[in-house]
Amino acid sequence: MTIETADAWQDLAARARARLQDGLPLETRGTLTRLTGLVLEAAGLRVPVGAQCQVRMGENGEPVLAEVVGFATDKAFLMPAGDVHGLSSGAIVSPAPAFVPPLRLGQSAESQREPDTGAAGVLRLPMGAGLLGRVVDSQGQPLDHNGPLQDVQAEAMDRTPINAMERDPVREPLDTGVRAINALLSVGRGQRLGLFAGSGVGKSVLLGMMARYTQADVIVVGLIGERGREVKEFVEDILGEEDRGRAVVVAAPADAPPLLRMQGAAYATAIAEHFRDQGQHVLLLMDSLTRYAQAQREIALAIGEPPATKGYPPSCFAKLPALVERSGNGLNGVGSITAFYTVLSEGDDQQDPIADAARAILDGHIVLSRALAEGGHYPAIDIEQSASRVMHNVVPREHFELARQFRAVYSRYQKSSDLIQVGAYLAGSDPQLDEAIRLQPGMVAFLQQTMFEAAPMDASVAGMAQALGAG
């Protein structure tokens, strides 16, 4: 054994003894042995799946954050969260340190020390009131150039699921400010809905309308896997200055690694849970659930999981309910998360596997129609294909019956619209269709709304009655 090797071993032993004396777990390290596509392979690293690690060339190299996503015998598979250029075989892989919030004026560092989780590489990100009005990335780093985060504390991302019997059922209506939703697809506080749409039919504008007009204490927006330019546009143009102070935006654009896209969705949900646990009513807007599933698909395929349905491995369909079930009403009715998840329908196909899976685990679905959007009908909500599964529990019987009548008359006209447009229908042949034709202009006008117009719940119900000639 050379003198240099002996000195290295002595230094390692001294550091191990120091950590044991301080009551800290022994530091574990591994070495990078392989890089294939998106996956790093490390040997000698004993940390659990989900642990955050740093990969660096030498002691002073620039670290690359990665997460353990699987293992085989003594090999650990990691997914990088940054650029891997410059890494080579033999790079050091070690558990990443936890997030350390900045010092608050007037307090000592000792008084602000966060409790140790006791597990190496546990992901802990900033939570707290200091996030309100800020735009952060998936790792809690500010993107808005407004300085470091203040009044935040580091919290673990993993949370214990709430017992289903300890959640209050959805019973209280929620005013979204969108006329078609308030009247025909009434939302309950704590409900989880999907916004199903293809590209370019106005889903982002509809999300912005709900963010601006919905009655909520806190708004959490997760922009996951979407175009980078939409982040600034959503914050400045759609969200607006008035509502920015009660909103938190978590951005993981399309060019972010798949790990960060998944982490962004989990972080946005954890922020919403943090405020819900404080008894506040939270509106969670996530755009989009499909990009979250696609990020999981990239990771699963990279580590060798076989594809099952249209290229999606089974783990994708297991991850969706695990994310969605975290929202909803809090323990014994204290706080709530009302969530809207956008779901992209590839080629406007409502039977897309992710769309089909999301429809089964959500409490309702709002479908946006490309045909309506092309005709200048905004918001382009197709009320015939949309449904709210809790509407009958949150609105009076008169409101529910009025909405049923509206749907029946509207659907009657749509089924015969081809005959009407070509002049093949003779007036008087069907009295119910004659009534639908007479009411159609008023019903179409009722369903349309500009993005700068708010429609309260009472006004929406009155407008629906007036469109039917009942008010």
Side-chain angles (χ1 to χ4, degrees):
M1 181 182 294
T2 65
I3 297 177
E4 291 79 5
T5 304
D7 290 342
W9 278 106
Q10 289 177 0
D11 181 62
L12 181 62
R15 283 188 293 173
R17 283 193 296 269
R19 290 185 65 87
L20 288 174
Q21 289 174 359
D22 293 338
L24 299 175
L26 286 176
E27 183 179 8
T28 177
R29 282 189 174 190
T31 55
L32 188 65
T33 59
R34 185 180 180 186
L35 193 161
T36 305
L38 298 175
V39 180
L40 306 176
E41 188 175 298
L45 187 69
R46 298 298 176 92
V47 290
V49 172
Q52 305 293 304
C53 296
Q54 287 183 342
V55 186
R56 67 175 75 210
M57 293 299 301
E59 293 291 343
N60 300 320
E62 188 68 24
V64 176
L65 187 67
E67 181 177 312
V68 179
V69 294
F71 61 87
T73 61
D74 61 340
K75 303 289 187 181
F77 302 134
L78 301 96
M79 185 66 60
D83 190 2
V84 296
H85 288 293
L87 296 181
S88 65
S89 178
I92 300 172
V93 184
S94 59
F99 166 80
V100 179
L103 292 177
R104 293 185 285 274
L105 295 177
Q107 297 184 18
S108 65
E110 186 66 28
S111 66
Q112 298 182 53
R113 180 171 296 175
E114 300 292 336
D116 191 356
T117 60
V122 172
L123 180 60
R124 302 174 72 216
L125 294 177
M127 305 281 181
L131 289 171
L132 295 175
R134 303 302 300 269
V135 181
V136 297
D137 65 9
S138 302
Q139 297 171 304
Q141 300 299 320
L143 298 176
D144 50 14
H145 304 293
N146 289 333
L149 298 175
Q150 301 292 336
D151 194 21
V152 293
Q153 62 275 356
E155 293 185 8
M157 296 286 288
D158 294 333
R159 293 172 179 265
T160 304
I162 298 178
N163 187 332
M165 294 302 295
E166 295 178 350
R167 289 184 188 266
D168 276 2
V170 180
R171 291 288 185 268
E172 182 182 350
L174 180 67
D175 189 349
T176 63
V178 181
R179 190 158 43 234
I181 296 177
N182 281 344
L184 299 163
L185 304 165
S186 301
V187 176
R189 195 177 293 280
Q191 187 178 357
R192 299 160 296 195
L193 286 100
L195 196 59
F196 293 73
S199 57
V201 295
K203 65 180 184 303
S204 296
V205 175
L206 182 57
L207 284 179
M209 292 174 65
M210 289 187 286
R212 190 179 295 118
Y213 304 130
T214 299
Q215 297 175 350
D217 300 321
V218 176
I219 303 168
V220 180
V221 182
L223 301 178
I224 311 301
E226 296 301 314
R227 293 177 290 273
R229 68 167 181 82
E230 289 186 343
V231 176
K232 190 170 184 178
E233 289 181 1
F234 190 94
V235 173
E236 295 185 356
D237 301 335
I238 297 179
L239 191 59
E241 188 67 33
E242 295 182 0
D243 297 295
R244 198 180 307 174
R246 60 173 179 144
V248 182
V249 179
V250 179
D255 59 346
L259 176 65
L260 292 186
R261 279 178 267 148
M262 289 195 64
Q263 187 172 303
Y267 185 30
T269 306
I271 294 172
E273 289 175 315
H274 172 84
F275 288 109
R276 178 191 62 187
D277 293 344
Q278 295 180 345
Q280 296 181 295
H281 297 299
V282 182
L283 175 67
L284 173 62
L285 305 175
M286 190 168 295
D287 186 13
S288 70
L289 196 63
T290 303
R291 302 300 188 203
Y292 172 81
Q294 290 174 347
Q296 170 60 20
R297 177 175 64 180
E298 293 179 40
I299 294 175
L301 293 177
I303 62 176
E305 187 177 347
T309 307
K310 290 190 177 180
Y312 286 97
S315 62
C316 292
F317 302 100
K319 288 282 187 180
L320 290 177
L323 179 72
V324 170
E325 285 295 326
R326 293 171 61 180
S327 56
N329 287 326
L331 284 170
N332 302 315
V334 178
S336 67
I337 301 176
T338 306
F340 288 86
Y341 301 91
T342 66
V343 181
L344 297 177
S345 304
E346 296 183 3
D348 296 326
D349 179 16
Q350 297 301 321
Q351 303 307 315
D352 176 82
I354 298 301
D356 198 43
R359 191 180 293 108
I361 61 178
L362 294 170
D363 302 327
H365 50 276
I366 300 172
V367 179
L368 300 187
S369 166
R370 186 172 299 277
L372 290 176
E374 291 173 348
H377 181 121
Y378 290 101
I381 299 175
D382 188 337
I383 62 170
E384 292 182 286
Q385 296 189 52
S386 305
S388 172
R389 296 179 180 175
V390 304
M391 181 176 176
H392 61 285
N393 291 328
V394 300
V395 299
R397 181 176 298 179
E398 297 78 10
H399 178 174
F400 187 80
E401 181 63 23
L402 203 61
R404 188 196 63 79
Q405 294 176 14
F406 189 103
R407 283 175 173 272
V409 174
Y410 186 86
S411 179
R412 184 80 177 183
Y413 178 90
Q414 296 301 320
K415 290 179 180 178
S416 304
S417 60
D418 291 341
L419 293 175
I420 297 170
Q421 291 173 4
V422 301
Y425 174 72
L426 296 177
S429 302
D430 185 345
Q432 292 183 343
L433 183 55
D434 290 338
E435 180 71 5
I437 294 172
R438 183 182 69 84
L439 296 176
Q440 181 66 11
M443 299 175 76
V444 171
F446 168 79
L447 293 174
Q448 297 186 55
Q449 182 178 344
T450 66
M451 64 179 294
F452 301 106
E453 172 191 0
M457 178 72 77
D458 293 341
S460 299
V461 176
M464 178 171 59
Q466 184 176 3
L468 285 173

